[in-house]
Amino acid sequence: MTLAALHAFDDARTVRIGETTTTRFIAPAGATDGRLGIFHHSMLPGASGAAPHYHTRIAESFYVLRGEVALHDGTGWRTAHAGDFLHVPERAVHGFRNDSAALAEMLIIFTPAEHREGFFEGLSRLLADGNKPSREEMVALMEEFDQYEVDPDAAPHHHTHAHHHDQTSPGE
């Protein structure tokens, strides 16, 4: 018989990404047999978040818990408020950042989980102690975890062709 498993918020592993962002792994891949990942993402005012990008193997959703989050929906930037939700299917362009003057918090949900926590842990390492990773380091990390940036001005809603690497961003 399989049993349910409670995972306490305070017990979840948290990583710091640069000086402006923390991510808490509420439900990492190992907790859900890889079916789902849920992360609590907290951004200080002005946090750069993730430039427009897409994934080929995962869908990603955002649920804003607190404050305002600028979300790119494949057609442009939209301001989302607490209670707003954005679902992004595989290959659809999306991004996020905190343009506001207040703390913003959201849940990021990945299906399947794809061990997405590895990407955030990699970002944490690359940006530790004020480090400025090279473009090559950022692209290598992104591609290892199925993330491909696009030019936000030319971002199609649904990406179906070759990968583009036109911008550097701390990522998700």
Side-chain angles (χ1 to χ4, degrees):
M1 180 168 141
T2 303
L3 298 176
L6 176 66
H7 299 270
F9 183 81
D10 289 340
D11 293 338
R13 178 164 152 63
T14 301
V15 295
R16 182 176 184 92
I17 301 169
E19 297 299 316
T20 61
T21 304
T22 58
T23 302
R24 184 181 299 250
F25 307 133
I26 303 300
T32 66
D33 295 323
R35 292 183 177 109
L36 165 78
I38 303 174
F39 300 168
H40 179 263
H41 199 72
S42 180
M43 299 180 289
L44 293 176
S48 60
H53 64 280
Y54 67 97
H55 309 283
T56 63
R57 299 185 307 265
I58 60 173
E60 187 170 4
S61 296
F62 303 90
Y63 180 74
V64 180
L65 298 169
R66 177 179 179 179
E68 295 180 354
V69 177
L71 294 173
H72 198 288
D73 65 1
T75 63
W77 291 98
R78 310 283 179 253
T79 300
H81 303 90
D84 290 345
F85 177 79
L86 174 69
H87 176 71
V88 183
E90 295 89 346
R91 297 188 177 276
V93 173
H94 61 286
F96 62 85
R97 62 187 185 214
N98 182 0
D99 290 340
S100 78
L103 176 70
E105 296 181 22
M106 65 182 171
L107 294 179
I108 305 176
I109 304 145
F110 303 99
T111 54
E114 284 280 321
H115 294 281
R116 197 71 182 136
E117 56 272 18
F119 176 75
F120 290 84
E121 291 166 339
L123 276 179
S124 179
R125 284 189 300 275
L126 283 177
L127 297 170
D129 302 320
N131 289 338
K132 304 275 188 216
S134 70
R135 177 74 186 142
E136 293 76 23
E137 289 173 306
M138 289 299 297
V139 168
L141 178 66
M142 287 185 282
E143 289 186 355
E144 178 182 353
F145 291 97
D146 187 41
Q147 181 165 322
Y148 306 96
E149 285 189 329
V150 297
D151 178 347
D153 296 324
H157 180 68
H158 202 76
H159 199 76
T160 58
H161 55 278
H163 305 163
H164 299 279
H165 307 288
D166 301 328
Q167 295 183 353
T168 299
S169 121
E172 302 194 332

